[in-house]
Amino acid sequence: MGKYFGTDGFRGEANINLTVEHAYKVGRFLGWYYGREHKPRIVIGKDTRRSSYMFEYSLVSGLTASGADVYLLHVTTTPSVSYVIRSEGFDCGIMISASHNPYYDNGLKVINGGGYKLEAQIEQEIEAYLDRQFSDSKDLDLPFAVREQIGRTVDYAMGRHRYIGYLISLATRSFKDKKVGLDLANGSATTVAKGVFDALGARTYVINSEPDGTNINTNCGSTHIEGLKKFVVENGLDVGFAYDGDADRCLVVDEMGKVLSGDAIMYLCGCYMKERGELNHNTIVTTVMSNMGLYKALDQKGIRYEKTAVGDKYVYENMMTNGYSLGGEESGHIIFSKHATTGDGILTSLKVMEAMLEKKEKLSELIKDLKIYPQLLKNVRVKDKAAAKNNEKVLEAATKVEKQLGTEGRLLLRESGTEPVIRVMVEAQTDEICADMVEQVIAAIRDCGQTE
């Protein structure tokens, strides 16, 4: 991770540690970088945060000042930006979103011409440029485009519509008579998801579909799924899907109100794809956050798996290197490499529906052999992530917990890639053991004096 860019772009609180000046300078650099040999075409999408409009205008100013033509998708999903880049030959794209974070945060996710996360080398060059621009002794800025070389701005809502059409085309059969609930998180999915399910014939029931700029992810969506659980049960729905702010992740609720995490989705889809001969090399790519129960269930089904660092870009890198067709994160970022280069919540919904419809089974029946271990994850805000994680007392506490858990559980202690927090996660046989083990490590973090 760099000074500005983490595992999922440049993220921070709007106008605190991610400002309009940052966005303008990022635009200036990208417009110059991709315009060294030709006039670049760059596409921008955004979520529903109030600050997304402010950052959109700042990026456009920087990009066009450097000579780039900018195409605006307006409110849309992160995977739609990736799709439009790939399908229509853009040099790169930018999604303005802080994903599942609160409304007052925002972020700049830069996506390269192949439709996946920007290369680390280019991120480093952007960071070096930003450091020069915001230092006391500034180097000369990049040249401005002049006259006919100045970039233009194009309303490109049709790009989002083409993405919607693409999703609809992926369905293998009609959703007629299926009662489907959607929690749109008052975010990006509000412009896409319902239209897709309606077009496929579902009886679509929607909640949290009225964004006001400050209610994105607020007690809704994939990070607050209690509302959808209740909604599915009370309305007798067949299934419910919950997205995050930019709709690149999805969690599922079955007909009885039980939540299916990303691990359960990978298990369900992996088994289905294996039966159809579509699970390349009989392997699913997971991250270190996936549950022990998933691995035990995959062992029983004879399905192989690999583990990467946390972050869907690491999952995708592994998939591309080895030719795998399915991978994802426990949090709900699921990648189907045949159809997408990044996690796509709405695409994931369609794949879950496909498995249900083709096998003619209820969702609960499709995952009956999967037993997820109890898991507890807590975030601790700290002043210095590296100092807290590597503190001697913290390491001693972690070692003690690992010995107590033995082979019937595990501890994961890691730095967040997007927030100033240490994540403490324990899996064990009971919720009580999880809580006790997590508290032991958190107490050590508090004692080391790094908590805010």
Side-chain angles (χ1 to χ4, degrees):
M1 292 185 295
K3 179 178 179 180
Y4 301 103
F5 285 84
T7 56
D8 204 13
F10 185 168
R11 191 176 297 187
E13 184 170 349
N15 279 348
I16 302 296
N17 41 20
L18 173 58
T19 68
V20 291
E21 287 88 354
H22 286 125
Y24 172 74
K25 293 297 183 181
V26 169
R28 288 279 282 128
F29 182 89
L30 291 173
W32 167 81
Y33 182 88
Y34 287 102
R36 290 171 296 173
E37 297 181 358
H38 65 277
K39 192 168 187 63
R41 297 167 65 249
I42 296 174
V43 63
I44 296 179
K46 65 176 180 285
D47 70 16
T48 58
R49 295 162 212 270
R50 182 173 295 174
S51 63
S52 291
Y53 295 82
M54 172 180 74
F55 287 122
E56 179 183 54
Y57 299 148
S58 299
L59 283 167
V60 167
S61 295
L63 288 163
T64 54
S66 287
D69 287 341
V70 184
Y71 293 72
L72 301 180
L73 295 173
H74 306 292
V75 173
T76 192
T77 68
T78 292
S80 75
V81 177
S82 175
Y83 170 78
V84 169
I85 293 169
R86 299 192 322 271
S87 63
E88 305 194 30
F90 284 93
D91 291 285
C92 78
I94 307 166
M95 179 65 185
I96 306 165
S97 176
S99 189
H100 60 284
N101 284 26
Y103 79 91
Y104 47 77
D105 288 342
N106 216 323
L108 309 177
K109 299 184 180 184
V110 186
I111 303 169
N112 70 16
Y116 45 88
K117 303 292 175 67
L118 190 66
E119 297 87 343
Q121 176 192 345
I122 303 177
E123 288 183 346
Q124 291 167 5
E125 292 185 43
I126 297 173
E127 293 203 347
Y129 171 69
L130 291 176
D131 278 341
R132 290 197 304 272
Q133 295 304 303
F134 292 104
S135 65
D136 292 331
S137 55
K138 293 181 180 178
D139 291 349
L140 290 175
D141 202 352
L142 298 172
F144 284 103
V146 295
R147 298 190 176 185
E148 69 275 5
Q149 295 303 315
I150 293 173
R152 64 192 178 110
T153 305
V154 180
D155 185 308
Y156 206 59
M158 71 175 67
R160 185 180 69 238
H161 300 325
R162 288 173 181 162
Y163 167 71
I164 292 173
Y166 172 68
L167 290 177
I168 294 170
S169 74
L170 296 179
T172 58
R173 59 172 61 200
S174 169
F175 295 173
K176 184 180 180 182
D177 297 328
K178 288 297 180 183
K179 298 172 67 176
V180 180
L182 303 177
D183 184 341
L184 306 182
N186 294 313
S188 293
T190 56
T191 65
V192 177
K194 188 177 188 300
V196 171
F197 278 86
D198 285 349
L200 290 170
R203 296 169 61 187
T204 314
Y205 298 72
V206 173
I207 57 175
N208 301 309
S209 61
E210 299 180 359
D212 64 10
T214 63
N215 62 359
I216 186 172
N217 298 319
T218 303
N219 299 319
C220 60
S222 61
T223 51
H224 300 279
I225 203 165
E226 299 79 14
L228 182 61
K229 290 171 59 178
K230 182 179 179 182
F231 187 70
V232 167
V233 173
E234 289 182 346
N235 290 278
L237 307 185
D238 296 298
V239 62
F241 299 104
Y243 310 111
D244 63 338
D246 64 336
D248 63 353
R249 69 170 71 178
C250 170
L251 295 184
V252 185
V253 175
D254 73 13
E255 76 281 358
M256 297 188 294
K258 181 180 178 181
V259 177
L260 279 67
S261 69
D263 286 345
I265 296 169
M266 285 190 285
Y267 172 80
L268 182 158
C269 292
C271 292
Y272 172 71
M273 291 170 68
K274 180 181 180 180
E275 290 177 4
R276 294 170 63 89
E278 297 174 353
L279 187 63
N280 292 357
H281 307 297
N282 192 39
T283 299
I284 298 174
V285 182
T286 71
T287 77
V288 294
M289 288 295 288
S290 280
N291 193 279
M292 291 176 63
L294 170 63
Y295 300 127
K296 291 179 182 293
L298 292 178
D299 287 339
Q300 292 177 348
K301 294 292 184 179
I303 296 175
R304 295 180 58 253
Y305 44 84
E306 295 199 9
K307 301 179 185 180
T308 74
V310 174
D312 62 338
K313 72 176 182 179
Y314 301 117
V315 172
Y316 185 71
E317 286 172 1
N318 184 294
M319 293 174 69
M320 290 302 96
T321 299
N322 298 292
Y324 300 137
S325 53
L326 176 64
E329 298 186 278
E330 190 273 342
S331 60
H333 285 117
I334 311 298
I335 302 174
F336 298 88
S337 62
K338 181 178 178 180
H339 307 295
T341 55
T342 186
D344 187 330
I346 300 170
L347 171 60
T348 299
S349 304
L350 300 181
K351 288 298 182 180
V352 171
M353 291 294 295
E354 178 182 332
M356 290 174 57
L357 292 167
E358 295 290 350
K359 292 185 70 65
K360 297 181 174 61
E361 293 185 59
K362 294 181 178 179
L363 198 54
S364 59
E365 296 169 345
L366 293 174
I367 59 165
K368 63 180 183 299
D369 295 328
L370 174 66
K371 308 299 180 186
I372 294 293
Y373 274 53
Q375 183 185 92
L376 179 63
L377 170 67
K378 287 193 175 181
N379 298 324
V380 185
R381 296 187 71 86
V382 294
K383 302 170 187 174
D384 185 320
K385 291 184 285 190
K389 182 174 180 289
N390 297 308
N391 179 270
E392 184 177 348
K393 289 185 178 180
V394 174
L395 293 175
E396 288 177 358
T399 299
K400 179 182 177 182
V401 164
E402 288 172 339
K403 287 182 179 179
Q404 290 176 298
L405 291 171
T407 60
E408 292 303 315
R410 67 175 181 129
L411 164 71
L412 183 63
L413 184 67
R414 72 176 188 90
E415 302 173 29
S416 167
T418 58
E419 301 173 83
V421 302
I422 295 293
R423 303 198 195 281
V424 184
M425 189 273 285
V426 169
E427 287 173 5
Q429 291 180 309
T430 68
D431 291 324
E432 292 74 19
I433 294 174
C434 288
D436 179 42
M437 299 295 109
V438 166
E439 186 53 40
Q440 288 186 43
V441 178
I442 290 178
I445 296 174
R446 292 195 193 102
D447 290 343
C448 78
Q450 282 292 335
T451 54
E452 289 187 342

